[in-house]
Amino acid sequence: MDEYMIETRGLTKKYGSQVSVSNLNIHVKKGRIYGLLGRNGAGKTTTMRMLLGLTAPTSGEVKIFGHPMQGNENKILPRIGCLIESPGFYPNLTATENLKIFAELRGINSPKYIRGALELVNLPYRDKKLFSEYSLGMKQRLAIALAVMHEPEVLILDEPINGLDPIGIAEVRSFIRELCDARGKTILISSHILSEISLLADDIGIIDRGVLLEEESLKELEEKNAKFVHFIVSDANKAAQIIGSLFQTKSMRISDNCNLYLYDTSLPTAKINRTLIENGIDIKEAHLCEDTLEDYFMKITGGEGIA
Amino acid sequence: MLKLIKCEFWKLKRKHFVSFVIFAALLFPIPFTALVLAGSVGNFTGFDAVFGLLVTLGEPVMLPIVLGIVAAMLFFMERDSDTLKNLHTIPVSPAKIASAKIAVLFILGLIYSLATLISSMVGGLMAGSEFVNIGEKVWISVVTSLLYTASTLPVVIIIVWLNRSYIFSIILTFFYTMFDYMLAYGGQFASKEPAMKLISNILPAPTIYRWQAAQFVSPDSPAYSVLEPYFLPLWIVVLTVFIIGAVSYLAIVKIYGKHES
């Protein structure tokens, strides 16, 4: 049985009559990256704030390291690193000075932790530049440095690639992966950028309007994605009749007179092509296709796609 | 708690207002030294006169205003830089954060008061006097700073509670200080109204002045006979201001704890 580092049971947050998070049950396994995927306003940040005790849940329970968060904050929180919403630092101080304050409060006396964290995110140690002069990307890097500085076992990162340029995104992705693979950290990461989650996460939770719609490993989700052969033909209805009668299948969909989707990919495509041509149907195109994660996201959220 | 206080001071780095305040404390005695040199402060002369004027007339105005502004800086800092969430997830409780900020106010009050003492020594030297009763003056400086810092806490409650802008906090502090000051130096002696008497006994500055007057009004002066019935022993003043400070402290901690991180 898997050991859950983070687990919620029936986690709910209501603001007045508005339900922000509803009956959420997430399970983050040890040493894995869990991607919480959802549109803006889906309830990702509220969920993370409740996990960290920053927002009190209306009902439900948060368990971290197998212990309820409520009442154990002093034991649990020092073992967690987090980045919630925008990076929060003192604008009149440098990056090193900012980290020094939080290191002092965490009881970290050695400057090597500050230096190490800054090096990890490619920010200079003892630089004179003030936080207020930082670009959004540098601020985000500093927030990640703060999250990892005390070498926590669990990282909770809310949209960590916000504001980063493409190279920065690749770097952050790479070191988050390394933190998990090489150092055995358990990471919960939220994003509205589907491609990021699919590139990084081992397990995925899809949240929409505060409800967790799906929670599975990336591998399982990929297996669930529908595969099909897409034919563009001169007469889709006639083609469907021929395929149905000769190959004994009903697993098809016609979108208009030209487009036919055959979902039984075990059938011999070359033979189908030949049969259709022999029956006077022109085949303009035939492709083996697979739904993307975005298609799957659209399907289960019943709405528009995600970035 | 010591770590928290140290961190609060680190957070003030490059906040030039704080160093400006200490500098102002050193400059404030200049007009009083000029008054003493002109020989217009009753029976006191030299160092005694400059120090007396600074402690009874300078600090009661300057210290609460300065501390009110610094309090706004300290208590708005986490809100403005969005750092409360970082502190809560360490975890550091809001009560401890608020306590550290209040401790910083007391320490800055003490530094301001001692800077005032040093500058009054310079003023006294210019007025040609020798330094006498230094120990007593250090004691009075320390007690005065602690009392006036505690007396500022009621206005800090409103600053933290309303959680508004710096300008609003400065205006609020200024009006509170001036009202307190006017009551201390005029209202409590001039009015016989029961409501005024009650307010004078509740607000800290009039109470503190009733102890200060006993220290600085000479028995030979005509004002002595007027003020003498109002004199209060230190323990009553300390008890009154302590109650005001303690209630204010609890209120600040409670209100600050409700701020969303």
Side-chain angles (χ1 to χ4, degrees):
Chain A
M1 187 185 158
D2 290 310
E3 185 190 344
Y4 296 128
M5 296 293 266
I6 302 173
E7 188 181 4
T8 66
R9 285 183 193 161
L11 197 64
T12 301
K13 181 66 188 177
K14 291 179 185 171
Y15 293 101
S17 60
Q18 191 186 345
V19 181
S20 179
V21 173
S22 175
N23 196 29
L24 196 81
N25 299 298
I26 62 170
H27 306 85
V28 182
K29 294 171 196 163
K30 188 174 183 178
R32 289 174 74 89
I33 300 177
Y34 184 107
L36 191 60
L37 178 66
R39 294 188 182 91
N40 291 327
K44 304 184 295 292
T45 301
T46 307
T47 301
M48 290 188 152
R49 290 181 65 87
M50 286 194 284
L51 293 178
L52 291 161
L54 293 172
T55 298
T58 307
S59 61
E61 187 187 28
V62 172
K63 280 176 114 178
I64 298 184
F65 307 120
H67 303 288
M69 174 59 107
Q70 200 170 10
N72 292 304
E73 291 90 346
N74 289 341
K75 286 180 189 163
I76 292 172
L77 285 173
R79 298 166 66 190
I80 300 176
C82 63
L83 187 175
I84 297 292
E85 296 170 306
S86 56
F89 291 97
Y90 303 103
N92 53 315
L93 304 182
T94 65
T96 308
E97 288 165 351
N98 264 295
L99 290 192
K100 195 178 162 193
I101 286 177
F102 295 110
E104 178 79 15
L105 294 175
R106 284 196 182 277
I108 299 170
N109 298 316
S110 171
K112 75 174 184 183
Y113 289 94
I114 298 173
R115 184 194 290 264
L118 288 171
E119 280 172 0
L120 191 70
V121 296
N122 281 334
L123 285 177
Y125 179 64
R126 288 194 184 280
D127 190 25
K128 287 182 179 171
K129 199 170 190 176
L130 301 180
F131 179 72
S132 58
E133 297 162 348
Y134 269 26
S135 67
L136 184 58
M138 290 169 85
K139 288 177 179 175
Q140 198 73 9
R141 284 163 187 268
L142 184 59
I144 295 169
L146 175 67
V148 301
M149 179 177 66
H150 57 295
E151 304 212 334
E153 295 157 64
V154 165
L155 279 168
I156 296 177
L157 306 173
D158 184 18
E159 310 257 8
I161 57 161
N162 263 4
L164 297 177
D165 56 38
I167 294 169
I169 290 173
E171 283 173 0
V172 167
R173 189 194 303 140
S174 158
F175 82 67
I176 287 176
R177 193 68 255 177
E178 192 198 323
L179 284 171
C180 180
D181 295 342
R183 303 196 198 181
K185 312 284 184 201
T186 304
I187 301 169
L188 169 61
I189 182 169
S190 79
S191 183
H192 65 279
I193 301 171
L194 198 146
S195 56
E196 270 316 306
I197 292 290
S198 64
L199 283 170
L200 198 55
D202 301 312
D203 302 304
I204 293 181
I206 297 176
I207 186 170
D208 190 51
R209 297 181 186 92
V211 178
L212 191 72
L213 300 173
E214 193 88 45
E215 185 184 60
E216 276 179 285
S217 71
L218 182 66
K219 199 176 166 193
E220 284 168 331
L221 277 179
E222 282 172 347
E223 281 169 5
K224 272 187 171 183
N225 288 344
K227 285 181 182 165
F228 56 92
V229 182
H230 178 202
F231 291 97
I232 302 177
V233 292
S234 54
D235 187 340
N237 287 312
K238 190 176 173 189
Q241 279 175 5
I242 293 163
I243 294 169
S245 60
L246 294 179
F247 295 92
Q248 307 297 315
T249 181
K250 287 181 179 174
S251 182
M252 286 178 287
R253 182 169 68 85
I254 299 163
S255 71
D256 57 36
N257 201 36
C258 295
N259 288 289
L260 171 69
Y261 301 90
L262 174 64
Y263 291 102
D264 187 350
T265 53
S266 64
L267 296 174
T269 314
K271 198 174 176 184
I272 293 171
N273 283 345
R274 196 165 57 242
T275 308
L276 290 177
I277 290 164
E278 284 169 359
N279 283 278
I281 293 169
D282 294 335
I283 302 170
K284 290 176 186 168
E285 289 177 28
H287 306 281
L288 179 63
C289 303
E290 188 175 359
D291 271 350
T292 61
L293 200 54
E294 182 167 0
D295 296 322
Y296 187 73
F297 182 88
M298 282 166 63
K299 202 189 296 175
I300 67 160
T301 60
E304 290 177 359
I306 192 167
Chain B
M1 183 50 78
L2 277 176
K3 275 183 186 176
L4 269 169
I5 295 169
K6 189 160 73 174
C7 289
E8 288 300 327
F9 275 104
W10 285 349
K11 290 177 201 173
L12 291 173
K13 192 172 178 182
R14 298 185 193 90
K15 296 267 184 189
H16 300 299
F17 181 77
V18 178
S19 32
F20 167 75
V21 160
I22 305 299
F23 184 63
L26 292 167
L27 290 182
F28 207 62
I30 292 173
F32 290 123
T33 306
L35 271 175
V36 172
L37 288 171
S40 55
V41 280
N43 299 332
F44 291 94
T45 56
F47 175 39
D48 281 344
V50 177
F51 179 73
L53 285 171
L54 278 169
V55 168
T56 57
L57 295 174
E59 275 191 53
V61 178
M62 280 294 283
L63 195 55
I65 290 177
V66 162
L67 291 180
I69 297 168
V70 173
M73 284 167 66
L74 287 168
F75 281 95
F76 293 166
M77 192 180 279
E78 315 303 337
R79 177 198 71 180
D80 293 348
S81 39
D82 196 16
T83 45
L84 211 48
K85 63 191 176 194
N86 295 349
L87 297 171
H88 285 181
T89 50
I90 285 177
V92 183
S93 71
K96 282 186 179 173
I97 300 169
S99 303
K101 290 178 189 298
I102 291 169
V104 169
L105 290 181
F106 275 94
I107 294 167
L108 285 176
L110 214 54
I111 293 170
Y112 181 94
S113 208
L114 293 174
T116 298
L117 174 66
I118 291 165
S119 61
S120 68
M121 288 166 83
V122 174
L125 205 64
M126 287 167 68
S129 82
E130 291 180 0
F131 302 134
V132 287
N133 300 330
I134 292 291
E136 187 193 356
K137 289 184 174 66
V138 170
W139 163 247
I140 289 173
S141 289
V142 169
V143 171
T144 302
S145 87
L146 295 176
L147 290 174
Y148 274 108
T149 306
S151 82
T152 311
L153 295 183
V155 84
V156 178
I157 299 175
I158 304 173
I159 290 172
V160 175
W161 178 44
L162 295 177
N163 201 18
R164 299 277 283 276
S165 66
Y166 287 94
I167 299 290
F168 175 79
S169 305
I170 292 166
I171 292 169
L172 187 73
T173 309
F174 181 79
F175 277 108
Y176 169 78
T177 306
M178 293 320 292
F179 182 68
D180 221 13
Y181 185 80
M182 285 188 290
L183 217 57
Y185 290 87
Q188 67 172 333
F189 308 115
S191 175
K192 301 286 179 200
E193 287 292 319
M196 188 63 93
K197 286 282 161 202
L198 181 68
I199 293 171
S200 301
N201 285 318
I202 290 172
L203 283 175
T207 313
I208 298 167
Y209 184 68
R210 287 163 74 176
W211 165 69
Q212 283 189 325
Q215 312 301 309
F216 292 101
V217 177
S218 165
D220 306 333
S221 76
Y224 190 85
S225 58
V226 179
L227 297 175
E228 203 261 335
Y230 293 92
F231 287 168
L232 283 177
L234 182 59
W235 74 268
I236 290 182
V237 177
V238 169
L239 184 66
T240 308
V241 176
F242 176 79
I243 291 167
I244 293 168
V247 171
S248 303
Y249 166 77
L250 292 174
I252 292 165
V253 166
K254 194 167 175 58
I255 296 165
Y256 194 68
K258 287 183 178 172
H259 283 195
E260 184 83 1
S261 53

PDB file of all heavy atoms in Angstrom, chain B residues 190-209:
ATOM      1  N   ALA B 190      -7.121  72.991  34.055  1.00  0.00           N
ATOM      2  CA  ALA B 190      -8.031  74.106  33.788  1.00  0.00           C
ATOM      3  C   ALA B 190      -9.496  73.742  34.017  1.00  0.00           C
ATOM      4  O   ALA B 190     -10.280  74.573  34.472  1.00  0.00           O
ATOM      5  CB  ALA B 190      -7.843  74.594  32.362  1.00  0.00           C
ATOM      6  N   SER B 191      -9.844  72.510  33.718  1.00  0.00           N
ATOM      7  CA  SER B 191     -11.268  72.156  33.746  1.00  0.00           C
ATOM      8  C   SER B 191     -11.651  71.417  35.024  1.00  0.00           C
ATOM      9  O   SER B 191     -10.898  70.582  35.527  1.00  0.00           O
ATOM     10  CB  SER B 191     -11.594  71.287  32.531  1.00  0.00           C
ATOM     11  OG  SER B 191     -12.919  70.848  32.619  1.00  0.00           O
ATOM     12  N   LYS B 192     -12.834  71.722  35.519  1.00  0.00           N
ATOM     13  CA  LYS B 192     -13.351  71.018  36.702  1.00  0.00           C
ATOM     14  C   LYS B 192     -14.469  70.051  36.304  1.00  0.00           C
ATOM     15  O   LYS B 192     -15.094  69.434  37.157  1.00  0.00           O
ATOM     16  CB  LYS B 192     -13.908  72.036  37.723  1.00  0.00           C
ATOM     17  CG  LYS B 192     -12.895  73.049  38.213  1.00  0.00           C
ATOM     18  CD  LYS B 192     -11.915  72.407  39.184  1.00  0.00           C
ATOM     19  CE  LYS B 192     -10.869  73.454  39.652  1.00  0.00           C
ATOM     20  NZ  LYS B 192      -9.666  72.827  40.179  1.00  0.00           N
ATOM     21  N   GLU B 193     -14.727  69.988  34.994  1.00  0.00           N
ATOM     22  CA  GLU B 193     -15.799  69.118  34.506  1.00  0.00           C
ATOM     23  C   GLU B 193     -15.497  67.661  34.842  1.00  0.00           C
ATOM     24  O   GLU B 193     -14.380  67.191  34.607  1.00  0.00           O
ATOM     25  CB  GLU B 193     -15.915  69.246  32.977  1.00  0.00           C
ATOM     26  CG  GLU B 193     -16.530  70.538  32.500  1.00  0.00           C
ATOM     27  CD  GLU B 193     -18.012  70.655  32.866  1.00  0.00           C
ATOM     28  OE1 GLU B 193     -18.713  69.641  32.737  1.00  0.00           O
ATOM     29  OE2 GLU B 193     -18.422  71.742  33.302  1.00  0.00           O
ATOM     30  N   PRO B 194     -16.489  66.910  35.366  1.00  0.00           N
ATOM     31  CA  PRO B 194     -16.234  65.498  35.713  1.00  0.00           C
ATOM     32  C   PRO B 194     -15.785  64.662  34.516  1.00  0.00           C
ATOM     33  O   PRO B 194     -14.913  63.805  34.648  1.00  0.00           O
ATOM     34  CB  PRO B 194     -17.592  65.004  36.234  1.00  0.00           C
ATOM     35  CG  PRO B 194     -18.352  66.224  36.592  1.00  0.00           C
ATOM     36  CD  PRO B 194     -17.835  67.336  35.741  1.00  0.00           C
ATOM     37  N   ALA B 195     -16.396  64.941  33.335  1.00  0.00           N
ATOM     38  CA  ALA B 195     -16.023  64.172  32.133  1.00  0.00           C
ATOM     39  C   ALA B 195     -14.559  64.402  31.788  1.00  0.00           C
ATOM     40  O   ALA B 195     -13.824  63.466  31.454  1.00  0.00           O
ATOM     41  CB  ALA B 195     -16.911  64.573  30.960  1.00  0.00           C
ATOM     42  N   MET B 196     -14.132  65.653  31.895  1.00  0.00           N
ATOM     43  CA  MET B 196     -12.738  65.999  31.599  1.00  0.00           C
ATOM     44  C   MET B 196     -11.799  65.352  32.606  1.00  0.00           C
ATOM     45  O   MET B 196     -10.721  64.859  32.260  1.00  0.00           O
ATOM     46  CB  MET B 196     -12.575  67.527  31.604  1.00  0.00           C
ATOM     47  CG  MET B 196     -11.221  67.998  31.123  1.00  0.00           C
ATOM     48  SD  MET B 196     -10.901  67.554  29.419  1.00  0.00           S
ATOM     49  CE  MET B 196     -11.464  69.019  28.595  1.00  0.00           C
ATOM     50  N   LYS B 197     -12.248  65.350  33.860  1.00  0.00           N
ATOM     51  CA  LYS B 197     -11.437  64.717  34.918  1.00  0.00           C
ATOM     52  C   LYS B 197     -11.264  63.229  34.631  1.00  0.00           C
ATOM     53  O   LYS B 197     -10.174  62.676  34.807  1.00  0.00           O
ATOM     54  CB  LYS B 197     -12.127  64.895  36.284  1.00  0.00           C
ATOM     55  CG  LYS B 197     -12.038  66.295  36.835  1.00  0.00           C
ATOM     56  CD  LYS B 197     -10.655  66.512  37.440  1.00  0.00           C
ATOM     57  CE  LYS B 197     -10.387  68.000  37.571  1.00  0.00           C
ATOM     58  NZ  LYS B 197      -8.958  68.314  37.655  1.00  0.00           N
ATOM     59  N   LEU B 198     -12.385  62.623  34.194  1.00  0.00           N
ATOM     60  CA  LEU B 198     -12.343  61.183  33.904  1.00  0.00           C
ATOM     61  C   LEU B 198     -11.369  60.888  32.755  1.00  0.00           C
ATOM     62  O   LEU B 198     -10.512  60.007  32.863  1.00  0.00           O
ATOM     63  CB  LEU B 198     -13.754  60.686  33.542  1.00  0.00           C
ATOM     64  CG  LEU B 198     -13.862  59.194  33.232  1.00  0.00           C
ATOM     65  CD1 LEU B 198     -13.611  58.364  34.485  1.00  0.00           C
ATOM     66  CD2 LEU B 198     -15.229  58.857  32.662  1.00  0.00           C
ATOM     67  N   ILE B 199     -11.501  61.703  31.683  1.00  0.00           N
ATOM     68  CA  ILE B 199     -10.618  61.494  30.529  1.00  0.00           C
ATOM     69  C   ILE B 199      -9.156  61.703  30.929  1.00  0.00           C
ATOM     70  O   ILE B 199      -8.265  60.940  30.536  1.00  0.00           O
ATOM     71  CB  ILE B 199     -11.014  62.438  29.369  1.00  0.00           C
ATOM     72  CG1 ILE B 199     -12.390  62.043  28.825  1.00  0.00           C
ATOM     73  CG2 ILE B 199      -9.996  62.398  28.239  1.00  0.00           C
ATOM     74  CD1 ILE B 199     -12.969  63.030  27.831  1.00  0.00           C
ATOM     75  N   SER B 200      -8.920  62.724  31.754  1.00  0.00           N
ATOM     76  CA  SER B 200      -7.551  63.017  32.194  1.00  0.00           C
ATOM     77  C   SER B 200      -6.968  61.865  33.000  1.00  0.00           C
ATOM     78  O   SER B 200      -5.760  61.632  32.992  1.00  0.00           O
ATOM     79  CB  SER B 200      -7.525  64.279  33.067  1.00  0.00           C
ATOM     80  OG  SER B 200      -8.028  65.360  32.353  1.00  0.00           O
ATOM     81  N   ASN B 201      -7.845  61.185  33.721  1.00  0.00           N
ATOM     82  CA  ASN B 201      -7.356  60.070  34.534  1.00  0.00           C
ATOM     83  C   ASN B 201      -7.201  58.779  33.729  1.00  0.00           C
ATOM     84  O   ASN B 201      -6.530  57.857  34.182  1.00  0.00           O
ATOM     85  CB  ASN B 201      -8.302  59.814  35.716  1.00  0.00           C
ATOM     86  CG  ASN B 201      -8.128  60.875  36.792  1.00  0.00           C
ATOM     87  OD1 ASN B 201      -7.014  61.265  37.112  1.00  0.00           O
ATOM     88  ND2 ASN B 201      -9.237  61.385  37.319  1.00  0.00           N
ATOM     89  N   ILE B 202      -7.853  58.741  32.570  1.00  0.00           N
ATOM     90  CA  ILE B 202      -7.759  57.528  31.744  1.00  0.00           C
ATOM     91  C   ILE B 202      -6.601  57.634  30.746  1.00  0.00           C
ATOM     92  O   ILE B 202      -5.843  56.697  30.565  1.00  0.00           O
ATOM     93  CB  ILE B 202      -9.094  57.280  30.986  1.00  0.00           C
ATOM     94  CG1 ILE B 202     -10.177  56.868  31.977  1.00  0.00           C
ATOM     95  CG2 ILE B 202      -8.931  56.194  29.927  1.00  0.00           C
ATOM     96  CD1 ILE B 202     -11.556  56.785  31.375  1.00  0.00           C
ATOM     97  N   LEU B 203      -6.483  58.800  30.111  1.00  0.00           N
ATOM     98  CA  LEU B 203      -5.440  58.940  29.091  1.00  0.00           C
ATOM     99  C   LEU B 203      -4.054  58.964  29.737  1.00  0.00           C
ATOM    100  O   LEU B 203      -3.868  59.516  30.834  1.00  0.00           O
ATOM    101  CB  LEU B 203      -5.666  60.207  28.270  1.00  0.00           C
ATOM    102  CG  LEU B 203      -6.782  60.104  27.226  1.00  0.00           C
ATOM    103  CD1 LEU B 203      -7.013  61.452  26.563  1.00  0.00           C
ATOM    104  CD2 LEU B 203      -6.457  59.061  26.166  1.00  0.00           C
ATOM    105  N   PRO B 204      -3.082  58.370  29.056  1.00  0.00           N
ATOM    106  CA  PRO B 204      -1.779  58.197  29.701  1.00  0.00           C
ATOM    107  C   PRO B 204      -0.958  59.483  29.888  1.00  0.00           C
ATOM    108  O   PRO B 204      -0.357  59.660  30.955  1.00  0.00           O
ATOM    109  CB  PRO B 204      -1.056  57.222  28.777  1.00  0.00           C
ATOM    110  CG  PRO B 204      -1.816  57.196  27.510  1.00  0.00           C
ATOM    111  CD  PRO B 204      -3.198  57.635  27.795  1.00  0.00           C
ATOM    112  N   ALA B 205      -0.942  60.360  28.875  1.00  0.00           N
ATOM    113  CA  ALA B 205      -0.049  61.524  28.978  1.00  0.00           C
ATOM    114  C   ALA B 205      -0.350  62.403  30.199  1.00  0.00           C
ATOM    115  O   ALA B 205       0.589  62.800  30.914  1.00  0.00           O
ATOM    116  CB  ALA B 205      -0.086  62.344  27.698  1.00  0.00           C
ATOM    117  N   PRO B 206      -1.628  62.719  30.515  1.00  0.00           N
ATOM    118  CA  PRO B 206      -1.881  63.525  31.724  1.00  0.00           C
ATOM    119  C   PRO B 206      -1.383  62.825  32.989  1.00  0.00           C
ATOM    120  O   PRO B 206      -0.838  63.476  33.902  1.00  0.00           O
ATOM    121  CB  PRO B 206      -3.415  63.664  31.739  1.00  0.00           C
ATOM    122  CG  PRO B 206      -3.834  63.453  30.336  1.00  0.00           C
ATOM    123  CD  PRO B 206      -2.868  62.481  29.759  1.00  0.00           C
ATOM    124  N   THR B 207      -1.538  61.504  33.025  1.00  0.00           N
ATOM    125  CA  THR B 207      -1.088  60.746  34.202  1.00  0.00           C
ATOM    126  C   THR B 207       0.445  60.807  34.321  1.00  0.00           C
ATOM    127  O   THR B 207       0.981  61.022  35.408  1.00  0.00           O
ATOM    128  CB  THR B 207      -1.544  59.270  34.072  1.00  0.00           C
ATOM    129  OG1 THR B 207      -2.914  59.253  33.690  1.00  0.00           O
ATOM    130  CG2 THR B 207      -1.358  58.514  35.360  1.00  0.00           C
ATOM    131  N   ILE B 208       1.106  60.621  33.176  1.00  0.00           N
ATOM    132  CA  ILE B 208       2.584  60.633  33.200  1.00  0.00           C
ATOM    133  C   ILE B 208       3.084  62.017  33.628  1.00  0.00           C
ATOM    134  O   ILE B 208       4.025  62.134  34.413  1.00  0.00           O
ATOM    135  CB  ILE B 208       3.169  60.243  31.813  1.00  0.00           C
ATOM    136  CG1 ILE B 208       2.759  58.815  31.441  1.00  0.00           C
ATOM    137  CG2 ILE B 208       4.686  60.358  31.810  1.00  0.00           C
ATOM    138  CD1 ILE B 208       3.014  58.436  29.988  1.00  0.00           C
ATOM    139  N   TYR B 209       2.414  63.041  33.124  1.00  0.00           N
ATOM    140  CA  TYR B 209       2.867  64.394  33.450  1.00  0.00           C
ATOM    141  C   TYR B 209       2.760  64.678  34.950  1.00  0.00           C
ATOM    142  O   TYR B 209       3.566  65.419  35.511  1.00  0.00           O
ATOM    143  CB  TYR B 209       2.081  65.450  32.653  1.00  0.00           C
ATOM    144  CG  TYR B 209       2.613  66.839  32.932  1.00  0.00           C
ATOM    145  CD1 TYR B 209       3.878  67.213  32.492  1.00  0.00           C
ATOM    146  CD2 TYR B 209       1.874  67.754  33.684  1.00  0.00           C
ATOM    147  CE1 TYR B 209       4.395  68.458  32.780  1.00  0.00           C
ATOM    148  CE2 TYR B 209       2.388  69.009  33.974  1.00  0.00           C
ATOM    149  CZ  TYR B 209       3.649  69.355  33.516  1.00  0.00           C
ATOM    150  OH  TYR B 209       4.178  70.587  33.814  1.00  0.00           O
TER     151      TYR B 209
END
